[in-house]
Amino acid sequence: MNTTTPAQNSLLIDYLKKHEGMEGAHLTCTLACEGGGKNYSTHRKRFLNLLKDLEKDKAVLEAYPESLQTVVELCRSLATDGERWSGDYEGVCIHVSEQGENLINLRRPPIEFTRVEDRFYYRPAAGALAARREMLALSLSFKQPELYIFDGESAEVFGEIDLPESVYAFSEEGALDASQHAHIRRSRDTGTPQTVNQGFSPTQSPRELNEPIFLRELSHALRDLKESQELPLLVVGDENIVGEFVKVYDHPFGEIDTEMGMQSHPKASDIARICSDLCAEKQRQEMLEIKKELKQAEAGRMESFSDNVKEIYEAAEQGRVASCAVASDENAWCRFDEKKGFQSADPEKDSDAVEALDWIFVKTWLNGGKAIAIPSKDIPGVKKVAALYRW
């Protein structure tokens, strides 16, 4: 698979904007799910058992007397929706509030926990959310090409475009057809008038002669589409036709990604899987770039580098963090007192305690930076957080 410039993480930012600041109980639950959708009944039972324990938690009941029951009911509804639990994954991160529920599939098993607080925890789903990208996907063949739109999770046929139906459709519309270049001339040998062809080789079929027109018309249709200005494009199909298409088509949004060797007319689910894998690879490349930048900055002792939780927390609030890595397997609980400033806190005893690493992750993205969540052993200096400042 050929990969190019990463798309914007607009879906991740939209997700954070939508859910930050909502009132009421917010449940975050992470589960390791061996076998993914194949073992849905087992995962469902575990989730329902966690809900039973939650309903007996006096502290949670006292903190959210009005909204907790709504959240639990939504959780039960989610647990019984087998379609939502289908697919290939090794874990899930579940976010449920009064406003609705979200089940996020994870490619690797997460550290398990269940918490109900005033906000969600996003670090367990950081990679999955960052890999959600919108894109166009062209299933390319010489007969009935289809354009799909991928929303980060599923793909469906994009109905607002007229693509040429077939390479054969141009034979009656002025395409390079053998009959159009035939004329009468006299044979030197017999003097008998004969019909002969010029500009047409017997080894070339009408389809081969129509291919350039087919690809040109396909390019025009795509280039005129508003979404082509805004979304990346993946072209899926046989190596020969995909190779010819990318020679003649310049995508307005940028370079084109390709997936060759595919059979003709794949299902929407196949397109979604290919898009999802491509997005995950782009997210992986972004993560490697951020890790590389941070390690180089630490090694070079750059002034713009920091691994201090308090400093980075405040910088993220101010929008000064360009990129950062936060530990996915550690916590840094704190509270911010107007007189004493940033202090460590015990979440079991302090209702105002904030998990600083998750907050850094959210604020960095919302203020125009990039953040990743990785094991602490992979963070420069084996710290809980590392960041590069804009100034």
Side-chain angles (χ1 to χ4, degrees), residues 40-312:
Y40 153 61
S41 59
T42 300
H43 312 324
R44 170 181 176 272
K45 289 177 183 177
R46 291 187 61 213
F47 184 45
L48 289 172
N49 287 333
L50 288 171
L51 294 178
K52 290 179 182 178
D53 294 338
L54 186 65
E55 288 183 294
K56 298 175 184 178
D57 191 320
K58 293 182 179 180
V60 175
L61 288 169
E62 290 176 1
Y64 305 99
E66 297 179 358
S67 59
L68 182 62
Q69 191 56 44
T70 300
V71 168
V72 171
E73 289 173 2
L74 286 171
C75 286
R76 289 204 176 98
S77 177
L78 175 62
T80 57
D81 189 347
E83 187 174 344
R84 298 277 293 277
W85 294 76
S86 64
D88 296 325
Y89 55 91
E90 290 299 320
V92 294
C93 177
I94 298 168
H95 288 158
V96 183
S97 69
E98 289 183 289
Q99 288 73 31
E101 74 285 345
N102 295 278
L103 186 147
I104 305 164
N105 291 344
L106 308 178
R107 291 176 175 254
R108 295 180 179 82
I111 297 172
E112 294 190 341
F113 72 93
T114 301
R115 298 189 70 91
V116 178
E117 297 190 7
D118 293 334
R119 59 185 296 275
F120 294 136
Y121 290 90
Y122 301 97
R123 281 179 300 153
L129 289 173
R132 287 184 178 180
R133 320 277 174 105
E134 287 184 292
M135 66 169 55
L136 298 171
L138 176 65
S139 175
L140 185 55
S141 66
F142 283 122
K143 190 174 182 181
Q144 295 181 330
E146 291 277 16
L147 183 67
Y148 291 83
I149 186 161
F150 179 67
D151 65 2
E153 296 181 89
S154 61
E156 62 179 26
V157 175
F158 190 82
E160 300 177 20
I161 186 172
D162 291 323
L163 299 179
E165 293 182 4
S166 167
V167 70
Y168 304 102
F170 298 97
S171 296
E172 299 176 358
E173 300 177 10
L176 295 175
D177 192 312
S179 63
Q180 292 176 305
H181 291 267
H183 68 279
I184 302 297
R185 76 180 185 191
R186 188 170 299 277
S187 169
R188 294 179 180 177
D189 296 328
T190 64
T192 304
Q194 294 181 340
T195 300
V196 297
N197 297 317
Q198 288 185 342
F200 175 70
S201 167
T203 61
Q204 288 181 294
S205 68
R207 194 205 78 170
E208 290 174 321
L209 291 166
N210 288 333
E211 286 178 10
I213 299 173
F214 173 80
L215 295 176
R216 185 188 67 202
E217 292 302 310
L218 193 61
S219 298
H220 287 331
L222 280 173
R223 195 174 290 115
D224 293 341
L225 195 66
K226 178 177 72 70
E227 283 75 7
S228 293
Q229 312 288 333
E230 304 167 350
L231 299 175
L233 175 68
L234 169 67
V235 183
V236 177
D238 179 79
E239 182 176 354
N240 293 327
I241 185 173
V242 172
E244 290 302 312
F245 178 73
V246 297
K247 291 178 183 178
V248 301
Y249 178 64
D250 293 322
H251 191 54
F253 183 85
E255 295 184 59
I256 302 171
D257 292 296
T258 59
E259 176 68 21
M260 301 186 189
M262 291 293 297
Q263 62 181 11
S264 298
H265 312 300
K267 298 177 182 178
S269 58
D270 295 325
I271 294 293
R273 175 182 54 79
I274 296 168
C275 290
S276 180
D277 289 346
L278 174 62
C279 292
E281 177 59 21
K282 287 179 179 292
Q283 190 271 334
R284 188 185 73 85
Q285 290 181 1
E286 283 186 353
M287 183 177 69
L288 291 175
E289 284 298 315
I290 291 174
K291 288 171 62 176
K292 181 179 178 181
E293 281 184 342
L294 292 171
K295 287 182 178 179
Q296 289 176 343
E298 184 212 22
R301 298 183 179 180
M302 294 174 59
E303 292 184 5
S304 58
F305 175 84
S306 176
D307 57 12
N308 183 285
V309 175
K310 175 181 181 296
E311 289 180 359
I312 297 172

Side-chain angles (χ1 to χ4, degrees), residues 325-346:
V326 295
S328 58
D329 54 354
E330 298 275 359
N331 289 310
W333 293 96
C334 69
R335 73 187 319 273
F336 197 85
D337 187 277
E338 291 185 2
K339 295 182 179 179
K340 298 180 180 179
F342 185 96
Q343 292 182 309
S344 297
D346 183 346

